[in-house]
């Protein structure tokens, strides 16, 4: 994923950051991090997402990953 760097000097491009909460600002940083992008892609492509794999990614990036949705009967 290559970001569009054509307007990086324009302060109006980043005006929205004035209103971000701390978690929102953290996400803006994290989603641009190449290491996170690689790790997320590896986790997404894993044939089985073992608890160990998820725990390693969670510990490294300080995140909690929700499990996949599944059908439930009441």
């Amino acid at each position: 994923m290559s970001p569009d760097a054509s307007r990086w000097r324009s302060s109006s491009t980043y005006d929205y950051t004035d209103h971000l909460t701390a978690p929102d600002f953290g996400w803006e940083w994290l989603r641009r991090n190449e290491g996170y992008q690689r790790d997320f892609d590896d986790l997404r492509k894993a044939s089985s997402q073992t608890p160990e794999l998820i725990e390693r990614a969670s510990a490294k990036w300080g995140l909690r990953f929700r499990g996949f949705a599944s059908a439930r009967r009441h």
Side-chain angles (χ1 to χ4, degrees), residues 19-65:
H19 307 288
L20 294 178
T21 63
D24 294 336
F25 197 77
W27 171 243
E28 286 296 317
W29 173 84
L30 187 61
R31 71 184 184 93
R32 291 172 171 83
N33 183 290
E34 291 179 10
Y36 172 77
Q37 291 172 11
R38 277 190 305 275
D39 287 350
F40 180 81
D41 200 41
D42 290 346
L43 185 61
R44 188 177 54 83
K45 290 177 181 177
S47 59
S48 70
Q49 293 182 351
T50 64
E52 294 81 20
L53 182 63
I54 294 170
E55 180 60 33
R56 196 171 352 145
S58 296
K60 182 175 181 180
W61 297 105
L63 301 172
R64 287 182 289 167
F65 297 94

Side-chain angles (χ1 to χ4, degrees), residues 7-18:
R7 298 181 342 152
W8 74 271
R9 290 179 186 253
S10 171
S11 64
S12 65
T13 301
Y14 297 98
D15 283 346
Y16 74 99
T17 62
D18 293 338

